[in-house]
Amino acid sequence: MKINTALAQGLVRCHSCGFLGKRDIRLTKCPLCASPLHGRQPHSVQKTLAYLLSAYLLYIPANIFPIMTVTKLGAGEPHTIIGGIIALINSDMLPIALLVLVASILVPLLKLIGISLLLLYVQRGWTGDAYRWTVMYRIISFVGRWSMLDIFMISILVALVDMGSISEVLAGPAATAFGAVVVLTMLAAKSFDPRLIWDNQNKP
Amino acid sequence: MPAAHFSACPDCDLLLNRALPQIGSTAHCPRCGCLLHRPRTDSVERTLALSIAGLLLLFPANFLPLVGIKVLGHEKDGTLWTGVMTLFNEHQWAVAILVFLSSILLPFINIVLCLLVSGHLHHNRRHRYLTHWLYWLQHLEEWAMLEVYCLGIIVACVKLSAMAELQFGLGLYAFVGLLFTNALLTSNLDGHLFWQRIAQLNGQHYEN
Ligand SMILES: [Zn+2]
Ligand SMILES: [Zn+2]
């Protein structure tokens, strides 16, 4: 069944202001907001793939290296992301441990896998339930920012617990890697064009 | 086919007859369920009022202490800025810049842009950068993460509560106020209406 999309009718929607115009080689910029007009985001799959691969690479150091070092009375103890969660469980703070587990481990991992599947769906020309895949895309775009939780928590701990040898919290190398993973997965979600999911349905 | 009678779904590109829902109701895409339009009462005026309130709250939220701790007689206060400064001094430049952008600079820029756009629209005044302001506002919005920072404060406090005495500062109340103002600002700004008003000001015929 052929569905009536704007592109099929020779119309292009401005991504910023919603202006709908005739597709024309001379009309490269939106007459209202002056942002570039494209039928689909240009090189959406390639850009998303590039961000995604960088995020996969940085996900490894983000989980191997310590994200912070906690010093108590002179003895320093490095914590990885998982180590921090285990420490929370050991001190009987299960709800907070679960929150950090979801924000720092599950959300980044599910985002990486989810965006990979979306790329496969588009590249392989799958035609499964496009509605569900769009919902998944929306969830991925929405939850991404919440992974910054660990980074913000560290920036607060670092500022407050700063008493030399008595007790001190220092950020570790994994903090940079983890922050980069969050930003890169957000960029990957932003450069993915969900209309490509629906274009699969229209292909013969 | 005249484009003016139609609009397209941003998520699935379905061509639609332009829906003009009443205030209080919403228009969704029949194919993918994308929220197309949610008109708001007095969107321009509310955005203006809320952005002024946000600007006023921004200063205490930034410079007054959020949380203070007391360990073995040592006291220390933390503001939004001390976290960034400490990370910077520890040579964690990338993390420091990331925290600075998402918790200090971008929330500030967002509120200023809201104020500029709604202020000009309220007084029906044209400005040559009006479209640019609204454009940047729409694109920078998702990088300001005050609500995530708030959750970060909660988790940090729970972690610290075992080893130290905590005091909540005035800055925290301003920060929570700012958080709510920001959330209201996002939900009250009607992008459709704003673009339409800008087009009217510029003398362009435009409906979306
Ligand atoms: Zn436009
Ligand atoms: Zn749709």
Side-chain angles (χ1 to χ4, degrees), chain A residues 138-169:
Chain A
R138 283 186 199 132
I139 294 172
I140 287 173
S141 316
F142 173 77
V143 297
R145 51 205 275 113
W146 291 94
S147 300
M148 281 289 284
L149 176 66
D150 237 11
I151 300 287
F152 289 143
M153 186 194 71
I154 288 167
S155 102
I156 298 159
L157 287 181
V158 159
L160 286 177
V161 190
D162 184 15
M163 288 147 201
S165 57
I166 300 171
S167 60
E168 195 176 23
V169 172

Side-chain angles (χ1 to χ4, degrees), chain B residues 60-74:
Chain B
N62 264 283
F63 298 109
L64 291 180
L66 298 169
V67 198
I69 67 164
K70 214 174 176 181
V71 189
L72 304 171
H74 291 255

Side-chain angles (χ1 to χ4, degrees), chain A residues 35-85:
Chain A
S35 55
L37 279 181
H38 304 287
R40 297 288 177 266
Q41 279 190 42
H43 312 296
S44 167
V45 172
Q46 289 91 327
K47 277 190 206 163
T48 311
L49 187 62
Y51 288 130
L52 187 70
L53 289 180
S54 323
Y56 266 120
L57 277 180
L58 285 164
Y59 189 72
I60 301 163
N63 281 289
I64 292 178
F65 292 117
I67 197 155
M68 61 178 176
T69 308
V70 184
T71 309
K72 273 178 199 158
L73 300 170
E77 189 191 338
H79 277 294
T80 57
I81 296 178
I82 297 171
I85 296 169

Side-chain angles (χ1 to χ4, degrees), chain B residues 184-205:
Chain B
L184 285 173
L185 205 51
T186 319
S187 76
N188 273 293
L189 198 153
D190 179 351
H192 275 259
L193 179 81
F194 274 51
W195 282 115
Q196 229 164 29
R197 293 278 300 267
I198 288 180
Q200 275 168 14
L201 279 181
N202 291 343
Q204 282 167 306
H205 178 77

